Amino acid sequence: MPHFEKHVFICTNRRDDDNPKGSCAQKGSDAIRERFKKEIFARGLKGRFRANAAGCLDACEHGCSVVVYPEQVWYGKVTVDDVTEIIEKHLLGGQPVERLVIKDDK
Amino acid sequence: MPHFEKHVFICTNRRDDDNPKGSCAQKGSDAIRERFKKEIFARGLKGRFRANAAGCLDACEHGCSVVVYPEQVWYGKVTVDDVTEIIEKHLLGGQPVERLVIKDDK
């Protein structure tokens, strides 16, 4: 069975374009997932780390939302340009990227 | 931000019907996700536990595949009829449902 050191879930929920709540997919989360997958593969990290699309993670106001397990670190307002830093600092280095972590009071 | 005691991810990946590998969606994983969501809500457990669809979890041969975080317990060949037991024994009781756990040698 799989055993991932880190498992990254990217919300790819899409709502109708006229929904005032918006959605992570509208904000570009599919591209974030793609970048994670490609970069994990390109760095030879497949098997250690995995990135998956997920349904609505209930953090819509912070989208694009990403959660990393097993530590359940939540990231908000993630962009494609943040992916390399998350992989290098957090997945490989074990240190969450603090500037992207959703704070408890938000 | 959300903080889930248990976060359940159900593979809902769908491949073409003629793909010999099959897929969790073909085996009924959408109904499993629905059952988790409905039962968590009906029991007043929303906020403590969450069930989400996920892309391919890389455990296709065990589908329908489900993984529970933060402990990363993997379940295989899950059916709709197993959902209540997983909620009661594992999510609420803290004991994985051993008969469904994917073994290391499988």
Side-chain angles (χ1 to χ4, degrees):
Chain A
M1 66 174 176
H3 181 83
F4 303 120
E5 292 175 44
K6 307 280 188 197
H7 202 156
V8 181
F9 294 92
I10 302 103
C11 177
T12 57
N13 189 45
R14 181 177 294 279
R15 293 195 178 88
D16 290 340
D17 284 345
D18 58 355
N19 187 316
K21 203 170 183 179
S23 64
C24 289
Q26 285 173 317
K27 296 171 189 166
S29 60
D30 282 327
I32 295 171
R33 179 195 54 183
E34 276 308 302
R35 179 68 66 89
F36 266 112
K37 284 190 169 284
K38 281 185 181 167
E39 200 159 329
I40 286 170
F41 183 79
R43 290 168 179 256
L45 299 171
K46 194 167 180 268
R48 285 181 65 191
F49 307 139
R50 189 164 183 89
N52 277 120
C56 175
L57 293 172
D58 203 19
C60 310
E61 67 275 28
H62 304 292
C64 296
S65 304
V66 170
V67 60
V68 180
Y69 278 102
E71 56 271 59
Q72 192 172 175
V73 166
W74 288 89
Y75 290 123
K77 304 204 186 314
V78 177
T79 72
V80 166
D81 293 335
D82 298 320
V83 171
T84 297
E85 188 176 354
I86 293 172
I87 290 175
E88 292 185 349
K89 187 176 282 185
H90 186 169
L91 304 195
L92 287 166
Q95 299 299 320
V97 180
E98 289 298 337
R99 69 180 178 83
L100 296 171
V101 171
I102 301 172
K103 301 299 186 295
D104 269 331
D105 59 348
K106 281 184 187 170
Chain B
M1 68 176 178
H3 181 84
F4 302 121
E5 292 175 44
K6 308 281 186 194
H7 202 156
V8 181
F9 293 93
I10 302 104
C11 176
T12 56
N13 189 45
R14 181 178 294 278
R15 293 195 178 87
D16 290 339
D17 285 344
D18 58 355
N19 187 315
K21 204 169 183 180
S23 65
C24 289
Q26 286 173 318
K27 296 172 189 166
S29 60
D30 283 326
I32 295 170
R33 179 195 53 181
E34 276 307 302
R35 180 68 66 91
F36 266 112
K37 284 188 170 284
K38 281 185 182 168
E39 202 159 327
I40 285 170
F41 182 80
R43 289 167 180 257
L45 299 170
K46 193 164 181 271
R48 286 182 63 190
F49 308 139
R50 190 165 181 90
N52 276 121
C56 177
L57 293 172
D58 204 20
C60 310
E61 67 275 29
H62 303 291
C64 298
S65 304
V66 171
V67 62
V68 181
Y69 278 100
E71 56 269 60
Q72 193 172 173
V73 166
W74 288 88
Y75 290 122
K77 303 203 187 312
V78 177
T79 72
V80 166
D81 294 335
D82 298 320
V83 171
T84 297
E85 188 176 355
I86 293 171
I87 290 175
E88 292 185 349
K89 189 177 281 185
H90 185 167
L91 305 195
L92 287 167
Q95 300 298 319
V97 180
E98 288 299 335
R99 68 180 178 82
L100 297 171
V101 171
I102 301 172
K103 301 298 187 295
D104 269 332
D105 59 347
K106 282 184 187 169

